[in-house]
Amino acid sequence: MQDPRIRLACAFLLSIAAFISIAGAIAAFLWWLVFTSRWKSIRHFRAMLATLLLFVLVAAVMVFTGTNGLSYLTRMTAILLVGTWVYADSRPGDFLATGTWLCGTRMGFELGMIAEMAMGVAQGLTDDFSRIRIAMAQKEQPWGIRRILPAGRILIWDALRRADDTAELLAMRGYRGGGTICTRFSPQAPEIVAGACATAALVFACFLR
């Protein structure tokens, strides 16, 4: 999906549909099967499995406490699949262009820039985590909870340091807020159909709450 406006709108609509009801979650999953490249849209398969395992554990606890854990697991799985698809299909500048188009050159530009920086931080954390795993394998050290906690502290520290460096760089270049970006959107017919189906999924979820 090339048009970032339709891609982000689909993700927003499908996430709301999955959150509203199980029917919406099933509709979001079917949309994911039809309009994405399925498993190829998952950039980090291990991270997705780890997140899914966390959802399963939470759902199990909910079942043992007498709440509807199956409903939680179904909804969160659908949201996870949609989220991984958006992350895999995102390109640098998508959020900036969409934000400026939607909310103008002041607030929209700033919101888009914040989203772009967040995506950059997420990608940086993923790359750093992969380097830590490689370093541990080269040292032949076992990977477990004792290694994860120190690695997490390093990742958080690096993310905060990069954010501080970015803010300092923007200040040095005289950024005062707002900006413009020249982007041409060219939605294709399949993308328009996908957007219409995402809207229909939300309507379907609202009626079957």
Side-chain angles (χ1 to χ4, degrees):
M1 189 174 290
Q2 301 298 321
D3 195 320
R5 301 172 302 171
I6 299 178
R7 185 191 315 124
L8 295 176
C10 288
F12 178 73
L13 294 173
L14 293 171
S15 298
I16 294 178
F19 181 80
I20 289 176
S21 65
I22 295 181
I26 295 174
F29 176 73
L30 294 176
W31 188 97
W32 178 80
L33 288 176
V34 174
F35 293 104
T36 70
S37 55
R38 300 180 186 180
W39 302 116
K40 293 181 180 179
S41 65
I42 301 175
R43 185 179 297 178
H44 303 288
F45 194 75
R46 290 184 177 178
M48 177 187 169
L49 288 180
T51 307
L52 185 59
L53 178 60
L54 178 62
F55 292 159
V56 171
L57 293 176
V58 174
V61 173
M62 294 177 65
V63 170
F64 283 120
T65 56
T67 54
N68 196 344
L70 180 59
S71 174
Y72 167 84
L73 181 60
T74 303
R75 300 181 191 194
M76 295 305 297
T77 301
I79 294 174
L80 176 63
L81 290 174
V82 172
T84 54
W85 160 71
V86 172
Y87 179 74
D89 276 17
S90 294
R91 300 293 181 270
D94 283 352
F95 290 99
L96 191 60
T98 304
T100 305
W101 171 82
L102 183 63
C103 300
T105 58
R106 182 69 180 184
M107 183 177 67
F109 185 90
E110 293 182 357
L111 291 176
M113 184 174 63
I114 292 172
E116 292 287 346
M117 294 172 63
M119 290 293 291
V121 170
Q123 184 60 48
L125 289 174
T126 301
D127 295 339
D128 289 345
F129 184 77
S130 299
R131 295 189 187 100
I132 292 175
R133 291 290 303 273
I134 294 174
M136 298 295 294
Q138 290 176 344
K139 295 179 181 180
E140 297 183 352
Q141 296 183 1
W143 184 257
I145 189 65
R146 293 183 179 180
R147 306 297 180 184
I148 292 177
L149 294 178
R153 288 197 296 268
I154 294 173
L155 293 176
I156 294 173
W157 172 257
D158 286 345
L160 293 175
R161 178 180 57 81
R162 288 172 182 170
D164 185 65
D165 292 342
T166 301
E168 183 177 354
L169 180 61
L170 290 173
M172 290 178 62
R173 292 188 175 184
Y175 180 75
R176 292 294 183 269
T180 58
I181 182 171
C182 299
T183 303
R184 292 183 178 181
F185 300 105
S186 55
Q188 305 296 320
E191 298 176 347
I192 297 175
V193 173
C197 290
T199 305
L202 178 58
V203 175
F204 180 74
C206 292
F207 277 105
L208 295 180
R209 293 185 64 177

